[in-house]
Amino acid sequence: MTDCLFCRIVAGEIPATVVTETETTLAFRDIDPKAPTHVLVIPKEHHREIGDVEPQLAGEILATAHQVAKSEGIDASGYRLVFNTGEDGGQTVFHVHCHVLGGRGLSWPPG
Ligand code: AMP
Ligand code: ZN
């Protein structure tokens, strides 16, 4: 999708700070970090939201997110994975992405 921001990052048309990638997923730093570690993990293929993603690909997104937590050194201290979904979920970019947040204590419940 040429009008999708994250598809354009996958295509290399918009720069991003890539943390890691696999055949099917890409992880890059959020441009407006909400925690010391804030990385987005996306499927390279366009899907609007997590409910549209096949279980195998969803598992690959989660595996990459866990890999990022390890490489960022937050797997032992703890971290949070978030899929904001739809309007009430606060989704603003409609290419599914998993937020990997950590490096500080995260409050609960979210706002
Ligand atoms: P959400 O609100 O869950 O849809 O999250 C979208 C996220 O994308 C936000 O945390 C933004 O800061 C982030 N974002 C927007 N544009 C970019 C970009 N060009 N590179 C990296 N992250 C971005
Ligand atoms: Zn897209």
Side-chain angles (χ1 to χ4, degrees):
M1 280 187 44
T2 51
D3 59 342
C4 170
L5 174 65
F6 289 174
C7 281
R8 295 188 70 192
I9 286 177
V10 171
E13 294 169 11
I14 292 176
T17 305
V18 172
V19 174
T20 191
E21 71 179 305
T22 67
E23 200 178 325
T24 57
T25 67
L26 182 69
F28 54 94
R29 297 201 186 281
D30 196 291
I31 203 166
D32 181 18
K34 309 298 189 298
T37 290
H38 189 174
V39 173
L40 303 176
V41 180
I42 67 170
K44 290 181 175 175
E45 198 175 86
H46 183 86
H47 297 281
R48 181 179 170 88
E49 60 185 56
I50 190 62
D52 298 332
V53 177
E54 291 296 324
Q56 181 174 330
L57 182 56
E60 289 166 9
I61 294 167
L62 291 178
T64 300
H66 184 227
Q67 190 55 50
V68 166
K70 283 204 280 192
S71 66
E72 293 288 308
I74 57 172
D75 55 323
S77 53
Y79 59 97
R80 189 171 294 170
L81 304 182
V82 176
F83 290 90
N84 291 329
T85 303
E87 190 182 342
D88 280 359
Q91 186 173 7
T92 60
V93 177
F94 290 91
H95 178 132
V96 63
H97 48 280
C98 177
H99 295 260
V100 183
L101 295 151
R104 65 170 171 84
L106 299 165
S107 61
W108 189 264

